[in-house]
Amino acid sequence: ARPRVGYYFNRRSANTLVSRAIAKIRVKDIKSLPVMIRESLSVYDAVVTMFTEDVGSLIVTNEDGYLAGIVSRKDLLKMAIAGGDLQKMPVGMIMTRMPNIITVTQEDTIHIAAQRLLNHQIDALPVVRTYIMPNGDERLEVIGRITKTNIARLFVELGEGGMDHT
Amino acid sequence: ARPRVGYYFNRRSANTLVSRAIAKIRVKDIKSLPVMIRESLSVYDAVVTMFTEDVGSLIVTNEDGYLAGIVSRKDLLKMAIAGGDLQKMPVGMIMTRMPNIITVTQEDTIHIAAQRLLNHQIDALPVVRTYIMPNGDERLEVIGRITKTNIARLFVELGEGGMDHT
């Protein structure tokens, strides 16, 4: 007869199983669509976009559509409280700019993504694909977004036994 | 000889094990300290507190120290962009006020807490203890705070097999 595995299962192997299940889940499995703006957009319009799209971070692209920067609710609040004419200030002036942006790829695990969010104390990670230009420069195409909301949603799904990645 | 459990383990039972492990983790196991302000504090000083304490939400208490409201980065950004004298406006005027506040208790599971964060689209949950006053009124004492950052941190720990709750 098949053994009833529960009886032979100790705490350590259960832990291992949980971590192994989590290790298999990748960014592409749970990523959201990116919400993007151009760097010429005003800080004021960026705030409006943040409210209409109901996101905590906006990904900023340059004129070619590649990743240029990222701006968070915290960055915008800092500018709003400092005063100044937010309608005249482009978001490119206050965003965190490349190459200082933490990103992930589709194939990275969610475990890695969660570690990056925590270690760098950021709200969102652009999910990118890298292109090497003929001159050797790198360009990052934005194909998604991972936030702590994605992690929390995954956690709830795992808690319901509904995420079929184990 | 002891059976090698891995061989008898199917996808569904692995899923069940993960969800069972998650179901055992409670708010008290991972909660953070609450960051609290009084409702008479100005919106401007609330923003400053949010930056100095580096949190996304502030829990607001009344003069007796009990839970009165909560104010998020989003609420403050909305006020900051609307203009007006933020130094003269008390945070009590713009906060989400009791009884419209979603809370958890120490004994609630983190699964429940994560569901509440997602379902109500909020950033933080006050962890509370309820007192019944002699006149029958309820008062909530704030003893902690749960955010999506706590959930992400727990997720990383589970991924490392380090959370001993299975």
Side-chain angles (χ1 to χ4, degrees):
Chain A
R2 236 169 124 138
R4 295 185 52 191
V5 292
Y7 286 92
Y8 301 99
F9 227 72
N10 67 21
R11 200 165 274 222
R12 187 160 294 277
S13 34
N15 265 353
T16 305
L17 210 93
V18 171
S19 63
R20 214 177 284 162
I22 286 175
K24 284 183 189 149
I25 309 169
R26 295 187 186 278
V27 164
K28 64 181 171 193
D29 300 323
I30 68 161
K31 71 181 160 64
S32 296
L33 287 175
V35 178
M36 299 196 273
I37 56 174
R38 289 297 165 97
E39 56 180 316
S40 52
L41 197 74
S42 72
V43 171
Y44 185 88
D45 287 338
V47 175
V48 171
T49 307
M50 193 167 268
F51 278 105
T52 54
E53 299 286 333
D54 199 21
V55 289
S57 294
L58 296 165
I59 295 170
V60 188
T61 57
N62 61 27
E63 298 310 305
D64 299 328
Y66 292 110
L67 179 62
I70 192 161
V71 68
S72 69
R73 211 173 263 164
K74 194 171 163 182
D75 298 329
L76 294 176
L77 180 57
K78 203 183 287 172
M79 289 318 297
I81 201 87
D85 191 345
L86 303 182
Q87 311 236 22
K88 287 196 181 133
M89 192 183 299
V91 80
M93 264 185 65
I94 67 150
M95 69 186 184
T96 302
R97 186 175 282 281
M98 282 287 290
N100 302 316
I101 301 179
I102 313 298
T103 63
V104 283
T105 69
Q106 294 214 78
E107 299 301 326
D108 281 328
T109 64
I110 286 295
H111 183 77
I112 287 282
Q115 280 182 319
R116 285 190 192 155
L117 286 169
L118 292 172
N119 293 345
H120 298 279
Q121 295 179 32
I122 49 181
D123 296 321
L125 290 166
V127 181
V128 299
R129 198 178 274 150
T130 305
Y131 290 97
I132 311 290
M133 298 287 117
N135 66 0
D137 283 2
E138 277 192 358
R139 294 282 181 280
L140 300 181
E141 184 197 4
V142 182
I143 55 175
R145 169 175 65 100
I146 291 284
T147 66
K148 285 175 197 160
T149 303
N150 295 109
I151 311 286
R153 204 175 287 136
L154 172 61
F155 179 83
V156 167
E157 282 181 39
L158 288 172
E160 285 160 0
M163 192 84 189
D164 202 7
H165 293 277
T166 48
Chain B
R2 239 169 124 137
R4 295 185 52 190
V5 292
Y7 286 92
Y8 302 99
F9 228 72
N10 68 21
R11 202 166 272 225
R12 187 161 294 278
S13 33
N15 264 354
T16 305
L17 209 92
V18 171
S19 63
R20 213 177 285 162
I22 285 176
K24 285 184 190 150
I25 309 170
R26 295 187 184 277
V27 164
K28 66 180 171 194
D29 299 323
I30 67 160
K31 71 181 161 64
S32 295
L33 287 176
V35 177
M36 299 196 272
I37 56 174
R38 290 295 165 97
E39 55 180 316
S40 53
L41 197 73
S42 74
V43 171
Y44 184 88
D45 287 338
V47 175
V48 172
T49 307
M50 193 167 268
F51 278 106
T52 53
E53 299 287 331
D54 199 23
V55 289
S57 294
L58 296 165
I59 296 170
V60 187
T61 57
N62 60 27
E63 297 310 305
D64 298 328
Y66 292 110
L67 180 62
I70 192 161
V71 68
S72 70
R73 213 174 261 166
K74 195 171 165 182
D75 299 328
L76 294 176
L77 181 57
K78 201 182 289 170
M79 290 317 297
I81 202 86
D85 192 344
L86 303 182
Q87 310 237 21
K88 286 194 182 137
M89 191 183 299
V91 80
M93 264 185 65
I94 68 152
M95 70 185 184
T96 302
R97 186 176 282 281
M98 281 289 289
N100 302 318
I101 301 178
I102 314 299
T103 62
V104 282
T105 69
Q106 292 214 79
E107 299 301 326
D108 281 328
T109 64
I110 286 297
H111 183 77
I112 288 280
Q115 279 182 319
R116 286 190 191 154
L117 286 169
L118 293 172
N119 293 345
H120 299 278
Q121 295 178 32
I122 49 181
D123 296 320
L125 291 165
V127 181
V128 298
R129 198 178 274 151
T130 305
Y131 290 96
I132 312 289
M133 299 286 118
N135 65 1
D137 285 1
E138 276 191 0
R139 293 283 182 279
L140 301 181
E141 182 196 6
V142 182
I143 55 174
R145 169 174 65 100
I146 291 285
T147 66
K148 287 174 196 160
T149 302
N150 295 110
I151 312 287
R153 204 175 289 137
L154 171 61
F155 179 83
V156 168
E157 282 181 40
L158 288 171
E160 286 161 0
M163 193 83 189
D164 202 7
H165 292 278
T166 48

